Amino acid sequence: MTSFDASPAPTVWRALLALTVVFMMLATTGWTAIRDQGGPSTALAAELAGWRKARVGAEALPAPDSAPGRFAAFFASIGSARGKRLAADYPHVVGNLNGAPVTLRYRANRHALAESLAAERRRVADPDLTAEGHHEAVRRMHRFRALMDTDRQILAFDPTGPGRVAEVFGDLDRAERVSVIVPGVDTNLLTFQKTARRYSAPVGMAQSLYAAERAAAPQVRTAVIAWADYTSPVGVGMDSAIGRLAESGAVRLSALTEALPGDSKVALFCHSYGSVVCGVAARNLPARVEDIAVAGSPGMRAENVAELGTRARVWATRDGDDWIQDVPHLAVGGLGHGEDPVTPEFGARVVSAEGAIGHTGYFEPGTESVHNFAEIGVGSYEGISCAGDTDTCRSGIYGEDPDQRA
């Protein structure tokens, strides 16, 4: 970028004008702002202070930032009863520890949700709460209650501010293949699940993909994670056009994939700004992540697949009436996310999204996009339908071109 007291080059002026168009387009096409109403103060700080002082017998607890392998070994050594005790005493810690047994994390997060639900009930009863604050507290109370349903498997939960959450569909411990859905802008506790436009929210996306994977390969043990465990941009603003939140989200995504139990193969399904997160994370993902698929992408902060620095296969799709196709795919001075992943220049494997409508329709049951995602998720690549009635998106997968993975 040029300095403020110098005239920008024509190409820079064009880029700035394009970004202005982007922001105006987003304001009228679906990335609407959701205000952060705050919420109850986190109990995490108090729990962390207690965790650092606690002992199991004579042994100190692992530092909260320990590697997943350290936690896996620790919980295996202390036994089930002591693990459950820690989950009850430090639910906000244990529920979010990569490497802790997933069933113990589910248990801890039920405790954390119960505490958060009680806190929201107290807020709802507060006579000094504003009407807006009361409405927000009621919505959060309903969300916490729903997340506590006995059949739900909550892998991560943080009620602070807009909140973060992740949910598992299927048996994560026994899964041979795990799919992780990484959603985009305005994802938080209150938008994690929707009644209207169900399949535009992470829970609906995951339910649809899980059903499609079970139909595609009933013999394959699969699990799907609705992963809203990062802080996404809120509404229209600079955060949606830069990579700051994607960078912090990428760290969390890499940690998740590293810590998944067993030796399952992993596929990422990244929608909208979620594809920015996946693009930033790509070079640091473990080898078990074999596929990265993006839908409705504003870019992956790379000009081509090679710049992603991953050996994972990279897939892309976009339906014909997704407004994001009109967003300039560029990167200037940190603004914008780079080349459009569905262009030939980018080099991704482009699959059909026939039947999908608009920017949020890719996980609707019956669409070619969710069918293709399911085939990718279970590793059945011969069943994928490529864009443009070709078979080029499937080339090189089964060893005929061993140097081509993406």
Side-chain angles (χ1 to χ4, degrees):
M1 292 291 288
T2 59
S3 64
F4 285 110
D5 55 352
S7 297
T11 55
V12 176
W13 277 120
R14 286 195 292 271
L16 292 173
L17 177 60
L19 288 168
T20 301
V21 171
V22 170
F23 292 137
M24 294 184 67
M25 186 182 302
L26 295 178
T28 59
T29 53
W31 276 2
T32 54
I34 297 176
R35 294 180 57 194
D36 178 3
Q37 300 295 334
S41 298
T42 178
L44 180 59
E47 286 189 16
L48 284 172
W51 179 273
R52 293 186 178 100
K53 297 176 182 177
R55 298 287 186 274
V56 173
E59 183 181 1
L61 306 185
D65 59 353
S66 296
R70 173 73 178 96
F71 285 116
F74 168 74
F75 282 104
S77 71
I78 66 173
S80 175
R82 285 178 170 174
K84 290 177 180 177
R85 186 69 218 172
L86 288 175
D89 291 344
Y90 306 101
H92 294 85
V93 177
V94 176
N96 295 284
L97 286 180
N98 286 314
V102 293
T103 53
L104 191 64
R105 291 180 67 173
Y106 301 157
R107 186 184 189 93
N109 284 320
R110 285 188 63 79
H111 286 296
L113 279 160
E115 291 183 8
S116 297
L117 177 59
E120 292 303 328
R121 282 174 173 157
R122 290 192 293 272
R123 290 185 70 213
V124 167
D126 183 355
D128 296 326
L129 198 62
T130 65
E132 186 176 18
H134 182 271
H135 176 68
E136 182 78 3
V138 168
R139 292 183 68 200
R140 287 170 65 90
M141 186 175 68
H142 289 162
R143 171 63 69 237
F144 297 153
R145 185 183 295 126
L147 290 173
M148 289 182 68
D149 284 352
T150 56
D151 62 340
R152 302 192 74 164
Q153 302 177 132
I154 306 304
L155 185 66
F157 171 68
D158 181 356
T160 308
R164 297 193 297 253
V165 62
E167 182 172 7
V168 175
F169 297 86
D171 187 340
L172 192 56
D173 277 320
R174 298 180 64 250
E176 299 168 281
R177 291 188 169 269
V178 176
S179 298
V180 182
I181 292 175
V182 184
V185 164
D186 285 337
T187 297
N188 54 54
L189 273 169
L190 295 181
T191 61
F192 184 59
Q193 183 173 5
K194 297 178 181 177
T195 301
R197 299 173 61 240
R198 171 182 174 185
Y199 300 108
S200 67
V203 168
M205 292 176 178
Q207 290 172 329
S208 176
L209 180 58
Y210 183 58
E213 288 184 352
R214 297 293 295 143
Q219 75 284 2
V220 177
R221 298 192 303 273
T222 63
V224 178
I225 302 174
W227 190 78
D229 193 27
Y230 82 102
T231 300
S232 74
V234 177
V236 178
M238 191 60 69
D239 278 340
S240 64
I242 63 176
R244 181 180 65 89
L245 292 178
E247 289 166 5
S248 58
V251 172
R252 300 181 68 84
L253 180 60
S254 297
L256 167 79
T257 55
E258 190 74 47
L260 291 172
D263 57 359
S264 55
K265 301 180 186 303
V266 179
L268 307 181
F269 297 91
C270 321
H271 177 246
S272 196
Y273 189 85
S275 65
V276 185
V277 177
C278 292
V280 175
R283 67 179 57 253
N284 295 316
L285 295 169
R288 71 193 304 178
V289 179
E290 295 192 342
D291 296 280
I292 302 172
V294 301
S297 175
M300 300 181 73
R301 299 195 75 77
E303 291 307 306
N304 51 55
V305 166
E307 281 192 10
L308 292 173
T310 180
R311 286 187 58 77
R313 288 172 286 266
V314 180
W315 309 81
T317 193
R318 188 176 65 216
D319 68 64
D321 58 359
D322 186 337
W323 52 261
I324 211 160
Q325 66 188 310
D326 298 320
V327 171
H329 286 77
L330 45 80
V332 178
L335 296 174
H337 304 305
E339 183 62 83
D340 184 346
V342 302
T343 62
E345 294 78 12
F346 191 80
R349 301 171 180 273
V350 184
V351 303
S352 172
E354 185 176 348
I357 299 174
H359 185 59
T360 60
Y362 295 99
F363 289 87
E364 287 282 343
T367 58
E368 277 297 296
S369 47
V370 82
H371 164 78
N372 286 326
F373 295 162
E375 298 289 344
I376 293 168
V378 301
S380 181
Y381 305 107
E382 66 277 2
I384 293 169
S385 59
C386 303
D389 296 323
T390 70
D391 61 0
T392 56
C393 71
R394 299 191 298 272
S395 65
I397 291 179
Y398 294 107
E400 63 272 22
D401 183 1
D403 293 327
Q404 183 180 350
R405 282 292 308 275

